[in-house]
């Protein structure tokens, strides 16, 4: 049960109503995360601005891979469900690719390095080793791209933390633990 109050979409304060309408049009409903964020239009704006801005860094499958790896590492069931849905339905990722990303792996060596690195960033609170940096660099990532990876990971952590604090009700298809049948 959610621990923070979320206004009804039609009662959202300030400019949040317009944002919720846009999100609702994209998903066909207003996901609980965005309804919760609407209680503070400034926070909603921050999250939406970060998501929009970061959609210009890295390719979509790489961003989805980071989101899945980070959400698994931080134990956010809501974000795992949301990112699994988005990765599958909008990102064209297979169930196998989604499970691998959650496990910090991929069949694509470059995305595998990103998934591992993103999980290291979370697990070690950004204090990654020289070997971690060398591994992501050897996969072909430049220092500006590594900054993008870290920034996407932190943006995902922001919503992971909000949903973990709130215990946001999952309104996307549940995802089973890694390695179980879908």
């Amino acid at each position: 049960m959610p621990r923070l109050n979320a206004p009804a979409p039609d009662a959202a304060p300030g400019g949040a109503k317009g944002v919720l309408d846009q999100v609702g049009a994209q998903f066909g409903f207003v996901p609980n995360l965005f309804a919760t964020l609407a209680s503070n239009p400034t926070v909603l704006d921050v999250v939406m601005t970060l998501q929009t801005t970061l959609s210009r860094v890295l390719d979509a499958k790489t961003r989805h891979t980071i989101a899945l790896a980070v959400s698994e590492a931080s134990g956010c069931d809501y974000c795992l469900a949301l990112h699994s849905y988005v990765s599958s339905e909008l990102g064209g990722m297979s169930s196998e690719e989604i499970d691998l990303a959650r496990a910090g792996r991929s069949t694509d060596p470059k995305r595998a390095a990103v998934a591992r690195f993103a999980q290291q960033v979370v697990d070690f609170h950004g204090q990654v080793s020289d070997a971690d940096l060398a591994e992501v660099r050897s996969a072909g990532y430049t220092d500006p791209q590594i900054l993008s990876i870290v920034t996407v990971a932190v943006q995902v952590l922001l919503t992971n933390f909000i949903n973990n604090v709130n215990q946001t009700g999952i309104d996307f298809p549940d995802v089973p633990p890694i390695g179980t049948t879908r």
Side-chain angles (χ1 to χ4, degrees):
M1 176 142 171
R3 300 190 295 181
L4 301 174
N5 294 318
D10 59 343
K17 170 91 173 83
V19 174
L20 293 182
D21 289 344
Q22 291 173 353
V23 170
Q26 180 182 9
F27 287 100
F29 68 101
V30 175
N32 290 335
L33 163 65
F34 297 99
T36 300
L37 294 175
S39 69
N40 186 327
T42 301
V43 173
L44 176 63
D45 182 58
V46 166
V47 170
M48 296 303 292
T49 299
L50 274 172
Q51 288 181 345
T52 301
T53 302
L54 292 176
S55 71
R56 298 189 306 257
V57 301
L58 308 167
D59 65 90
K61 279 193 177 181
T62 299
R63 291 191 318 274
H64 293 312
T65 298
I66 293 167
L68 291 160
V70 167
S71 296
E72 184 71 37
S74 71
C76 183
D77 292 337
Y78 185 89
C79 289
L80 280 172
L82 181 145
H83 291 297
S84 293
Y85 175 84
V86 169
S87 297
S88 171
E89 300 301 315
L90 305 176
M93 290 176 71
S94 69
S95 294
E96 177 189 14
E97 289 176 298
I98 291 168
D99 284 349
L100 287 170
R102 290 175 58 194
R105 302 188 329 248
S106 175
T107 57
D108 176 272
K110 198 166 180 176
R111 279 202 304 274
V114 162
R116 280 190 301 276
F117 184 73
Q119 286 187 331
Q120 292 299 94
V121 168
V122 172
D123 291 345
F124 296 103
H125 311 283
Q127 296 181 18
V128 297
S129 69
D130 290 343
D132 295 325
L133 278 171
E135 181 182 348
V136 77
R137 284 181 177 131
S138 72
Y141 288 99
T142 64
D143 287 358
Q145 290 171 318
I146 293 169
L147 289 172
S148 294
I149 294 164
V150 172
T151 305
V152 170
V154 170
Q155 182 268 317
V156 173
L157 274 175
L158 170 63
T159 55
N160 287 178
F161 286 4
I162 289 169
N163 286 305
N164 283 342
V165 166
N166 185 38
Q167 296 178 355
T168 306
I170 298 172
D171 47 5
F172 290 93
D174 251 348
V175 293
I178 297 173
T180 59
T181 307
R182 288 185 186 260

